[in-house]
Amino acid sequence: MKLIRFGRLGHEKPGVQLEHGARIDVSGFGQDYDEAFFGGDGLERLRAWLRENQDQCPKVDDQERWGAPLVRPSKIVCVGLNYAMHAKESGMAIPKEPVLFFKATSAMVGPHDDVIIPKGSIKTDWEVELAIIIGKKASYVTEEDAYQHIAGYVLHNDISERAFQIEKEGQWCKGKGCDTFAPVGPFIATKDEIPDPNNLNLWLKVNGKTVQNSSTSDFIFNVEAVVSYISQFMTLLPGDIISTGTPFGVGLGLNPPTYLKPGDVMELGIDGLGVSKQEVKAYSG
């Protein structure tokens, strides 16, 4: 099942994308895709409801905006330097355990929304990432049990401002949580649709040129490892997002380094998780 949300920013409704690509409105189900949904057997209840009601669900107009496919979660936990070649291009050692940072949930936007270069930014960068959606409260879980706590997966562009992230004092969050820096979607694919998340092609283009093209098979720490590891330090709640890191090919690693400018267009995708596209705009106050 592919979960979507659609409509004006701040007024999104829940929907489902069908196998042939059509979108339907499932507002009649009576619940949005939030912590209570994921933590309360919402996926199974929605499947059962659709068996009885799918034919009566309104179709979503093709012109309707795609929203982020879940309600703002309690947290977005990110794994840094989780591909060996990306660590190398960043000039950093391969980590011995997952590098964690938080991304502000206020950075979430829809998959085709504009990305705004922050005020004072000179080094805004791109990062295609596989993100995990937590489906069951996770605390001190083992790697063997990790998949029991996953609802599904989603495409994420972990936009980063490198000067804020690396050149300022303190932690990476300054360069990660700016408004619009977390385009998510187009849909959440439930885990039954992605049998092996540790072997997916992922790619990103800037202005039509491929800059990232790799596979999650190059993970340093795979999906089950990061879910288990993070749960040792904090409780993961239903609907929480874990973004698993980006492969080589970010602007920081190019020679010379290349960063986003107004008018640039990013297009990115992951096997089984669709494609998103964002235009870069200047901050206008």
Side-chain angles (χ1 to χ4, degrees), residues 74-87:
S74 80
K75 50 190 171 289
I76 302 173
V77 189
C78 299
V79 183
L81 306 175
N82 199 24
Y83 293 75
M85 289 189 67
H86 175 54

Side-chain angles (χ1 to χ4, degrees), residues 9-284:
L9 183 65
H11 299 275
E12 294 91 346
K13 297 179 180 180
V16 168
Q17 180 173 305
L18 303 177
E19 288 301 315
H20 51 79
R23 297 185 292 170
I24 59 172
D25 182 340
V26 299
S27 300
F29 176 66
Q31 191 173 15
D32 208 343
Y33 303 144
D34 55 12
E35 181 180 337
F37 171 84
F38 289 108
D41 296 320
L43 289 173
E44 292 308 313
R45 291 186 290 108
L46 178 57
R47 284 190 180 99
W49 184 85
L50 284 169
R51 285 194 289 270
E52 300 292 329
N53 297 280
Q54 178 173 316
D55 291 344
Q56 286 74 50
C57 291
K59 299 293 190 294
V60 178
D61 189 278
D62 289 344
Q63 302 306 309
E64 280 276 12
R65 169 184 171 269
W66 293 77
L70 73 165
V71 175
R72 184 184 297 177
S74 80
K75 50 190 171 289
I76 302 173
V77 189
C78 299
V79 183
L81 306 175
N82 199 24
Y83 293 75
M85 289 189 67
H86 175 54
K88 182 178 179 180
E89 73 174 350
S90 300
M92 299 180 185
I94 294 175
K96 295 180 174 62
E97 57 186 283
V99 174
L100 303 182
F101 62 91
F102 287 104
K103 198 171 181 81
T105 59
S106 54
M108 275 181 57
V109 291
H112 308 305
D113 289 345
D114 294 336
V115 166
I116 308 301
I117 294 179
K119 185 177 181 180
S121 166
I122 56 172
K123 296 181 179 180
T124 296
D125 204 347
W126 57 82
E127 295 191 8
V128 59
E129 303 202 4
L130 170 69
I132 302 162
I133 306 298
I134 296 298
K136 178 183 176 183
K137 184 178 176 181
S139 180
Y140 300 110
V141 303
T142 64
E143 290 189 25
E144 292 75 18
D145 291 339
Y147 283 108
Q148 297 179 26
H149 297 267
I150 295 174
Y153 306 94
V154 70
L155 173 63
H156 174 219
N157 193 353
D158 176 20
I159 308 293
S160 307
E161 212 296 340
R162 302 303 186 187
F164 297 177
Q165 176 189 357
I166 299 169
E167 299 170 24
K168 290 185 177 292
E169 296 288 338
Q171 300 180 348
W172 288 358
C173 59
K174 294 176 184 176
K176 295 287 189 172
C178 304
D179 291 350
T180 75
F181 269 27
V184 178
F187 53 76
I188 296 169
T190 51
K191 63 183 176 182
D192 56 294
E193 296 210 0
I194 308 292
D196 186 3
N198 296 312
N199 188 23
L200 301 174
N201 176 248
L202 68 171
W203 54 270
L204 185 144
K205 298 178 182 180
V206 178
N207 300 328
K209 179 182 178 181
T210 299
V211 289
Q212 292 185 281
N213 188 8
S214 187
S215 170
T216 59
S217 62
D218 290 334
F219 276 149
I220 300 169
F221 306 102
N222 64 19
V223 163
E224 55 268 38
V226 299
V227 171
S228 174
Y229 182 84
I230 294 168
S231 78
Q232 309 306 308
F233 301 97
M234 66 195 79
T235 296
L236 293 165
L237 298 177
D240 280 355
I241 297 174
I242 299 174
S243 202
T244 59
T246 199
F248 70 94
V250 299
L252 173 69
L254 299 178
N255 187 18
T258 303
Y259 298 108
L260 294 167
K261 61 186 183 302
D264 284 346
V265 175
M266 294 171 286
E267 188 174 10
L268 56 150
I270 301 179
D271 287 350
L273 295 176
V275 174
S276 70
K277 187 175 183 178
Q278 301 96 39
E279 184 175 350
V280 179
K281 299 286 184 67
Y283 177 82
S284 59

